[in-house]
Amino acid sequence: MTDEQIFKKKRAGDYDEVAKILGLTRDNVRMTLKRPNAKKYNRVMGVLRRIVELRETMQEQLRAETEIFQQ
């Protein structure tokens, strides 16, 4: 996924999760993501990417399980 796709798929609370994982403030995460040349950008973006990917994977698994139970 590209950075643009990640930003489109992020949800409320994702910055808080990234901040909690990396030990940063929410505002620091937000500002870092606005600056692609920042030192922490790749690390912060990597965690955000992982959060979005894990959420999508979990949703797909839950949909599949729900379909099995409905049959």
Side-chain angles (χ1 to χ4, degrees), residues 50 53-69:
R50 188 79 172 123
E53 289 172 349
L54 286 171
R55 180 177 41 244
E56 287 185 346
T57 301
M58 183 179 62
Q59 288 172 345
E60 289 171 13
Q61 289 174 348
L62 290 172
R63 274 190 217 108
E65 289 176 14
T66 302
E67 288 175 12
I68 291 171
F69 288 124

Side-chain angles (χ1 to χ4, degrees), residues 11-65:
R11 296 206 178 159
D14 286 350
Y15 286 175
D16 292 326
E17 285 299 315
V18 173
K20 192 183 309 179
I21 291 167
L22 295 177
L24 304 171
T25 65
R26 181 186 188 286
D27 288 335
N28 189 252
V29 168
R30 186 177 53 80
M31 292 306 291
T32 300
L33 290 171
K34 288 183 178 184
R35 301 178 186 145
N37 294 327
K39 288 181 183 179
K40 296 179 185 178
Y41 181 83
N42 289 333
R43 190 168 169 215
V44 171
M45 192 63 193
V47 172
L48 180 61
R49 176 177 282 112
R50 188 79 172 123
I51 288 170
V52 170
E53 289 172 349
L54 286 171
R55 180 177 41 244
E56 287 185 346
T57 301
M58 183 179 62
Q59 288 172 345
E60 289 171 13
Q61 289 174 348
L62 290 172
R63 274 190 217 108
E65 289 176 14

